[in-house]
Amino acid sequence: MNNFPFIYHRPELVVKKLRYYARFIVVCLLLNKMDVVKDLVKELSDEIEDYTHRFNTEDQVEWNLVLQEVAAFIEADPVMVLNDDNTIVITSNRLAETGAPLLEQGMIVGQLSLADALIIGNCNNQVKFSELTVDMFRMLQALEREPMNLASQMNKPGMQESADKPTRRENPHKYLLYKPTFSQLYTFLAASFKELPANSVLLIYLSATGVFPTGRSDSEGPYDFGGVLTNSNRDIINGDAIHKRNQSHKEMHCLHPGDLYPFTRKPLFIIVDSSNSVAYKVSSMSAIAR
């Protein structure tokens, strides 16, 4: 900052710096670098304080809201003190090599592998930072493997330098969709379905407000139990209340279980985290509903 004092006399250039900090914080969150995130938040707070004192701008409240969001995000995913000497250990939801569950009897290694994952967050009043909610973040981390220390692997007895060198394991490709519209969600679904390799699985994680059926019909099919809400431009009143009222037509912004049927032509695993997750269970979808 001292080397280039002239570029900070214009507020729009300072805003670019603040946005850089915000983007950098998101990257460090995705990489699970919580210690770096806390340092960046402190620096961002100092930069915002300096910015608000030097310039009388209209976006002071917005930047203070950014600080509140990231502080709430860090608090919602806390760091735990586990060691006896009170050293801080950052707990991780990532899959470690020693923590992988054992295969059930009859299962074959490599028969199916997780290739793509759609992580969708569309709940109201949820802790988030930028376009990353806490539940999306935790699911994202659960689909990441802890980085392997190749040096320690090479020092294991019987490990050859050339032939037995461990191969790099790939994490699944992930799409993070924050409050997507129905058309956006379906576009990403179709793209993932098209590019899904052979012997691979597509995972869909749905965290969204529930849409409930308006009444019982004579023939209860995959479009008669409701589903979960996708994003629309209209206002939401009192959370779920607007979706429980009687309507003459089905909710056009609802993702029904039947909407996912075309994608079951390939291996599909669905996790529904919603107040109406039972709709996917009733419709005989292979899902984990809670």
Side-chain angles (χ1 to χ4, degrees):
M1 184 172 180
N2 294 329
N3 295 332
F4 305 98
F6 58 93
I7 68 172
Y8 294 102
H9 292 308
R10 296 168 57 185
E12 60 270 20
L13 296 179
V14 180
V15 169
K16 286 186 177 181
K17 184 179 181 181
L18 299 181
R19 289 175 177 171
Y20 169 80
Y21 268 100
R23 289 193 296 268
F24 195 10
I25 290 173
V26 172
V27 171
C28 292
L29 284 173
L30 296 177
L31 295 175
N32 202 27
K33 303 290 186 181
M34 297 302 293
D35 51 344
V36 181
V37 168
K38 292 183 178 181
D39 292 338
L40 290 174
V41 170
K42 178 63 172 61
E43 294 180 20
L44 177 60
S45 177
D46 295 339
E47 293 290 342
I48 291 176
E49 183 178 359
D50 178 70
Y51 170 65
T52 55
H53 278 85
R54 293 174 57 192
F55 306 101
N56 186 18
T57 60
E58 299 178 354
D59 58 349
Q60 298 179 10
V61 176
E62 296 178 6
W63 283 110
N64 288 330
L65 181 61
V66 169
L67 285 177
Q68 294 174 15
E69 282 189 351
V70 68
F73 193 101
I74 295 174
E75 184 179 358
D77 200 66
V79 174
M80 298 181 63
V81 178
L82 300 179
N83 288 356
D84 295 334
D85 56 356
N86 288 332
T87 57
I88 296 178
V89 177
I90 299 177
T91 59
S92 174
N93 294 323
R94 291 184 173 184
L95 180 64
E97 183 182 7
T98 57
L102 298 176
L103 293 177
E104 297 180 4
Q105 187 175 2
M107 295 182 65
I108 302 174
V109 177
Q111 190 173 15
L112 286 174
S113 60
L114 181 61
D116 279 24
L118 267 71
I119 302 175
I120 301 160
N122 191 26
C123 287
N124 298 318
N125 302 322
Q126 196 169 26
V127 176
K128 71 175 187 68
F129 179 64
S130 184
E131 293 187 349
L132 182 67
T133 63
V134 167
D135 55 357
M136 293 172 66
F137 171 73
R138 289 173 178 168
M139 179 55 63
L140 173 72
Q141 296 301 321
L143 298 177
E144 288 280 328
R145 296 184 179 94
E146 287 285 4
M148 293 179 61
N149 189 340
L150 295 182
S152 62
Q153 290 289 324
M154 295 299 299
N155 292 330
K156 287 184 177 180
M159 184 69 73
Q160 299 289 333
E161 177 68 25
S162 58
D164 296 334
K165 186 175 181 180
T167 57
R168 187 170 65 93
R169 296 178 299 177
E170 294 289 344
N171 289 310
H173 181 252
K174 292 168 283 293
Y175 300 90
L176 300 178
L177 304 180
Y178 175 68
K179 291 191 174 182
T181 63
F182 180 85
S183 60
Q184 290 172 336
L185 194 157
Y186 229 62
T187 298
F188 279 91
L189 265 175
S192 298
F193 178 85
K194 179 182 178 182
E195 302 297 332
L196 193 68
N199 301 323
S200 298
V201 179
L202 170 62
L203 183 144
I204 303 174
Y205 173 74
L206 283 169
S207 174
T209 303
V211 178
F212 295 85
T214 57
R216 297 183 65 88
S217 59
D218 296 334
S219 58
E220 292 184 337
Y223 291 91
D224 297 317
F225 294 99
V228 298
L229 186 69
T230 57
N231 194 25
S232 64
N233 294 326
R234 67 185 181 186
D235 294 329
I236 304 298
I237 302 175
N238 296 328
D240 295 352
I242 191 172
H243 308 298
K244 294 181 180 180
R245 66 184 184 184
N246 292 328
Q247 297 176 347
S248 57
H249 301 285
K250 288 183 172 61
E251 172 59 61
M252 66 175 294
H253 298 286
C254 173
L255 182 71
H256 296 89
D259 295 324
L260 300 177
Y261 279 9
F263 304 102
T264 59
R265 289 173 170 83
K266 292 183 179 181
L268 184 67
F269 190 88
I270 308 170
I271 302 175
V272 183
D273 190 355
S274 173
S275 56
N276 193 28
S277 58
V278 68
Y280 296 82
K281 186 176 181 180
V282 172
S283 301
S284 299
M285 297 289 292
S286 297
I288 294 178
R290 61 172 181 160

